[in-house]
Every structure is written in structure tokens, then in C-alpha cells.
Amino acid sequence: MVVAQAQFVLYESASGYALFETMDMDVVGRAIEHVQETTQNVERFGKVVKLHGFKPFTSAANALEQINTVSEGVASEDLQNFLEQNLPKLKDAKKAKFQLGVADPKLGNSIVEATKIPCVCNDHVGEVIRGIRMHFTKFVKGFKGGDYEKAQLGLAHSYSRAKVKFNVNRSDNMIIQAIALIDTLDKDINTFVMRVREWYGWHFPELVKVINDNYQYARIALVVRDKATLNEDALPMLTAITGDEDKSKEVIEAAKASMGQDISPVDMMNIEAFAKRVISLAEYRTNLHNYLNNKMSVVRTILQLIVVSIVRIASVSRFQPARVHDDYDTPITDLI
């Protein structure tokens, strides 16, 4: 199979657009492994390509603007002018005697549509661009030690900040992640509580029939500990947990008549440690649910009024995030 070769290669650096000309097409047209070996050596690679043109960015803002257009696969007006000024003039695109190598096929299509300059994107071009990136400061004169690295770092920070700042879906993303975490916590807490019930149930099996709530069960297990020592003095603490004095008395009476086996201090220590972890997870789940309600108020007032329970909130994660923000005219029934 004949691989399309590029006589010119475009490289979008942090400091400007660079156009390289391939000098030895026989080398570039060889196997990928040979091209990779050539890119490793700066002297050999310098014989394969040379800098044909360079257009530095005028400012940090200009650099960010140009890199944003490149990342979106769009040829900016500056890039079009740069290519038209430095590449051979074209009378007929079909009869062009050269091709421009690009890293992104979408950017190549944009260049072809805007300037009629034929573009190619393949593995050979990718390896040549990798070599250019590796030895870029050797081709462009004027860089002092560390200057190019600082330009890369500054542009990377600006690009990242801009993407985060203008991400209209960022609130939606936090809501979706919170919903997913709540679902995971619900499953884990239920599993852990079942372990606490089974473990502590060997000692106090009657407690399960009296206390149905998982969170209350774990807290009461910490208060009761050894059922043989439970007496009326624990009534205020039990009532603070259950909110019902009669139910607290029922727990005390059940402990007196319990048929459960005795439990060793070591086993009780492990049950206590596990129950504390379960309680901590349950409290974190409550805090996360409150956080989710607060985030929902940022997204959309109407949706917050409709989504009144965690089951309905979970439906938001099935939407496209942009719809929650942008589709204000969508009927409520369609959203539900």
C-alpha cells in the first residue's frame, strides 16, 4: 500500500504556528520504524525536515484564541493567511504538487474547505510531528533556556482555566456525580447494616423486631453493647435515638428476656468499630443529600420543584447535561 507523503508539515506550538518542509522524501516514505529512529537523533532529523515558516503568537490572549480554534478542528483566519503566504500558490487544487501534513484530520478538512490546500494525516505525519515537537527549540532560533517550556506551561494553564470556567455543564456534572455516589452509598450502607444485624443478632436477636430503621439499629447497638448490663439508666439515651420512650422500654424488656448467646469483649469491640463506620457513612450520605439539594437550586428552579425525592433526582442523570441548562422551553412532561 502506498502511503501518502507530505511535502510540508504544520506544527501548532505554544509560541506560534510553524511550517516545516520535508527535505528527504525517501526517508519519510519508509517504514514507520525507520521514521521513528530518525526522529530520535536531532542531526539525522535535521537533514529530513527544515523550518520553512514561523508565525509567532502576538500575545498570551492570541495564543489561547488560536489554540482553542485548533482544538476544535477549525482553521482560524490567522492560520489560513499563514499557510497561503508560505505554501506554493495553487491554481488548481486537484493538480497540486504538494500536500500539507497535519496532526488532526478535522483541522485538515477545515483547511481544505477554507484554502483548497490538500492535507494528509497518517502515521508517518504523526511521527514527523513527534520529532518536530521533540526538537522544536533547535529549529526556531531565539529561544533562551526554559523560555519555550514557560510558554507551554502558561498556555496549558490558560487553556485549562478557560475550559473549566466556560463549561456550562459543570453544575450538572457535580449533580450527576453526587447522584451516582448516593446510589453507591445506599447499596454499601444496606450491605454493611445487614452485616451488623447478623453479627450483633447472635447476641441480641430480638432487637431486629423492635428496631426496623438501619441507622437507629446501629446506634442502639452501640448503646446497648452487652445486653446483660442494660438497665433503666440507659432509657434517656435510647429515647434520644428512637424518639419514642415506649419503644425504648420495649428494647430494655427484650434485652432482659433475650435468648441470644453471650459475646466476648473482643467480638464486641469489632462490632462496635464496624457499627461506628456504618453510622459515619449514613451521616455522610445525609450531608451529601443536602449538598445535592443545594446544587439542584443552582440548575433550574422548575426542575427542583418537580424533583422532590431522591428517586426523581436520579432521573436527571439520564438527561443530556446541556438539556438541564439550556432546554428551558422543553415541556415539563418531556423532561420527566
Side-chain angles (χ1 to χ4, degrees):
M1 181 178 66
V2 179
V3 179
Q5 300 173 7
Q7 286 77 13
F8 295 93
V9 176
L10 173 66
Y11 177 61
E12 311 90 8
S13 73
S15 57
Y17 291 121
L19 185 65
F20 287 83
E21 182 178 1
T22 54
M23 306 300 294
D24 189 351
M25 293 306 300
D26 291 334
V27 173
V28 178
R30 292 180 188 175
I32 289 291
E33 292 77 9
H34 185 80
V35 180
Q36 291 174 343
E37 293 175 4
T38 303
T39 59
Q40 298 300 318
N41 188 294
V42 63
E43 294 182 1
R44 290 175 59 187
F45 189 66
K47 297 177 181 179
V48 176
V49 299
K50 76 170 184 178
L51 183 64
H52 185 75
F54 181 67
K55 177 179 174 57
F57 297 136
T58 57
S59 64
N62 178 245
L64 179 59
E65 179 185 357
Q66 296 301 317
I67 292 302
N68 277 328
T69 58
V70 169
S71 67
E72 294 168 3
V74 177
S76 66
E77 186 175 347
D78 287 355
L79 177 57
Q80 296 175 32
N81 294 335
F82 170 67
L83 294 176
E84 290 174 346
Q85 291 172 6
N86 289 275
L87 290 173
K89 302 299 180 182
L90 282 176
K91 294 183 179 180
D92 188 351
K94 295 181 180 179
K95 297 181 180 179
K97 297 182 179 180
F98 70 91
Q99 287 182 311
L100 175 65
V102 294
D104 183 7
K106 291 176 62 178
L107 179 61
N109 292 334
S110 179
I111 292 173
V112 172
E113 293 175 2
T115 64
K116 308 302 180 185
I117 296 173
C119 296
V120 61
C121 178
N122 53 38
D123 292 340
H124 286 77
V125 172
E127 290 300 327
V128 172
I129 292 177
R130 189 169 68 89
I132 293 171
R133 184 184 302 111
M134 188 183 305
H135 309 297
F136 182 69
T137 55
K138 302 294 191 302
F139 290 101
V140 181
K141 297 180 180 180
F143 284 120
K144 297 180 181 179
D147 284 352
Y148 184 62
E149 288 74 13
K150 291 179 181 177
Q152 286 181 311
L153 184 62
L155 181 58
H157 285 174
S158 299
Y159 181 81
S160 300
R161 280 196 300 267
K163 285 298 182 183
V164 173
K165 180 178 179 181
F166 295 110
N167 180 11
V168 296
N169 300 325
R170 63 185 185 275
S171 294
D172 295 8
N173 292 335
M174 295 301 102
I175 290 172
I176 292 172
Q177 294 302 322
I179 291 170
L181 182 55
I182 286 177
D183 288 341
T184 302
L185 284 174
D186 285 341
K187 296 176 183 177
D188 291 343
I189 290 172
N190 287 335
T191 301
F192 294 158
V193 168
M194 289 302 298
R195 299 286 81 78
V196 172
R197 284 173 176 265
E198 291 178 4
W199 204 350
Y200 191 66
W202 287 100
H203 176 63
F204 192 179
E206 294 80 7
L207 183 61
V208 175
K209 299 178 181 178
V210 180
I211 304 298
N212 296 321
D213 183 80
N214 292 334
Y215 180 63
Q216 288 186 7
Y217 184 94
R219 293 183 63 190
I220 287 178
L222 290 179
V223 173
V224 175
R225 300 181 77 252
D226 187 350
K227 66 178 187 298
T229 61
L230 185 64
N231 52 42
E232 297 295 333
D233 295 338
L235 184 61
M237 290 187 291
L238 293 175
T239 304
I241 296 173
T242 62
D244 185 348
E245 185 175 348
D246 293 337
K247 182 169 288 188
S248 300
K249 291 180 179 179
E250 189 176 348
V251 171
I252 296 174
E253 294 300 323
K256 293 178 180 179
S258 175
M259 300 295 292
Q261 66 182 20
D262 294 336
I263 192 167
S264 68
V266 175
D267 290 336
M268 181 57 67
M269 288 176 59
N270 283 281
I271 293 174
E272 286 180 4
F274 192 33
K276 289 178 180 178
R277 292 292 181 91
V278 174
I279 292 171
S280 176
L281 283 176
E283 292 174 348
Y284 173 68
R285 194 262 184 209
T286 301
N287 294 335
L288 185 61
H289 186 246
N290 294 334
Y291 160 81
L292 181 59
N293 287 334
N294 293 334
K295 295 296 291 186
M296 285 298 299
S297 65
V298 178
V299 179
R300 192 173 178 184
T301 304
I302 297 178
L303 191 59
Q304 185 190 21
L305 294 175
I306 296 173
V307 184
V308 294
S309 67
I310 189 60
V311 176
R312 293 184 180 179
I313 291 176
S315 67
V316 179
S317 65
R318 302 189 185 98
F319 300 157
Q320 291 294 331
R323 289 186 63 192
V324 181
H325 271 288
D326 301 329
D327 203 3
Y328 282 84
D329 296 329
T330 303
I332 301 302
T333 54
D334 290 350
L335 290 176
I336 297 303

